[in-house]
Amino acid sequence: MQRLATVIRIKPEKIEEYKRLHADAWPGVLRALQRANVRNYSIYLRDNTLFGYMEYTGEDFEADMARVAEDEETQRWWQLTDPCQLPVDSANPGEWWARMEEVFHMD
Amino acid sequence: MQRLATVIRIKPEKIEEYKRLHADAWPGVLRALQRANVRNYSIYLRDNTLFGYMEYTGEDFEADMARVAEDEETQRWWQLTDPCQLPVDSANPGEWWARMEEVFHMD
């Protein structure tokens, strides 16, 4: 199992919409994530910043994420959620959620 | 089990020291956290920000954290780690790591 944390900004005027969407996330979106071997996935908010934490149980994260990106319901979901978000200033070109570095872990 | 996420800033000139400390955290500090019912605790870094994720399996988080704060080895550890950190601007007076709001979770 691999732990992954990511960060992105949220537009202040979109916070309520983002929270409403995620309080009742679409079953098809969740199924696509489950199929992609994502587990124990949480998103946290403070100060117009979103942190994502997930556990990945598969063997090829890039391939699994590519399958998620091909899912039509997920694409429709992202049409709603992407306008809520802005990459952090340090994100690479084309990077959306930006990977964080794990500096500590205790089981 | 309760999930908790917290955020704090790190002083840029202290990043290497903080990472070095946490790459080899003191066994007594880890034992105090385990005794306090903390599990699956990770700290992530990006852009001078630290994001903490933990799972709490006890019944009284405040009381367990108070016990951690009484642990002498933990107090010595914090004498090294506290000077590395700065609370976020939105932290309450006296708040160190600031709690984040969970806006999404999928098991």
Side-chain angles (χ1 to χ4, degrees):
Chain A
M1 186 271 285
Q2 187 183 354
R3 294 174 298 275
L4 295 108
T6 51
V7 61
I8 200 165
R9 290 182 297 166
I10 186 164
K11 298 175 189 169
E13 71 276 16
K14 294 286 194 177
I15 286 176
E16 288 313 311
E17 180 181 347
Y18 191 88
K19 286 169 67 170
R20 196 167 52 242
L21 284 165
H22 284 79
D24 193 22
W26 299 350
V29 170
L30 302 179
R31 275 195 303 273
L33 289 168
Q34 293 273 353
R35 274 197 308 270
N37 301 303
V38 172
R39 303 287 181 272
N40 197 20
Y41 180 21
S42 302
I43 299 175
Y44 295 91
L45 167 69
R46 185 164 181 136
D47 302 334
N48 303 333
T49 299
L50 296 169
F51 283 110
Y53 171 86
M54 68 170 66
E55 294 171 355
Y56 174 70
T57 60
E59 311 238 310
D60 187 340
F61 184 71
E62 301 304 324
D64 273 327
M65 290 307 106
R67 285 200 302 154
V68 169
E70 284 167 9
D71 177 71
E72 286 186 14
E73 193 166 344
T74 297
Q75 289 171 6
R76 287 197 298 277
W77 173 258
W78 286 347
Q79 285 174 13
L80 299 178
T81 60
D82 281 5
C84 300
Q85 300 167 321
L86 282 174
V88 295
D89 290 338
S90 68
N92 292 320
E95 191 177 31
W96 198 245
W97 287 87
R99 282 288 292 274
M100 303 188 78
E101 178 185 1
E102 184 174 294
V103 296
F104 172 74
H105 178 72
M106 179 192 84
D107 281 336
Chain B
M1 184 272 283
Q2 188 184 353
R3 293 174 298 277
L4 295 109
T6 51
V7 61
I8 200 163
R9 290 181 296 166
I10 187 164
K11 297 176 189 169
E13 71 275 18
K14 294 285 194 176
I15 286 177
E16 287 313 312
E17 179 180 347
Y18 191 88
K19 287 169 67 169
R20 194 166 53 241
L21 284 166
H22 284 79
D24 192 21
W26 299 350
V29 170
L30 302 179
R31 275 196 303 272
L33 289 168
Q34 293 274 352
R35 274 197 308 269
N37 301 304
V38 172
R39 303 287 182 273
N40 197 20
Y41 180 21
S42 302
I43 299 176
Y44 294 91
L45 166 70
R46 185 165 181 136
D47 301 334
N48 303 333
T49 299
L50 295 169
F51 165 52
Y53 171 87
M54 67 170 67
E55 294 170 355
Y56 175 69
T57 60
E59 312 238 312
D60 187 339
F61 184 70
E62 300 305 324
D64 272 327
M65 290 307 106
R67 285 200 303 155
V68 170
E70 284 167 8
D71 177 71
E72 287 186 14
E73 193 165 345
T74 297
Q75 289 170 6
R76 287 196 298 277
W77 174 259
W78 286 347
Q79 285 175 13
L80 299 179
T81 60
D82 281 5
C84 299
Q85 300 168 319
L86 282 174
V88 295
D89 290 339
S90 69
N92 292 319
E95 191 177 32
W96 197 243
W97 285 87
R99 281 288 292 275
M100 304 188 77
E101 178 184 0
E102 185 175 294
V103 296
F104 172 74
H105 178 73
M106 179 193 83
D107 281 338

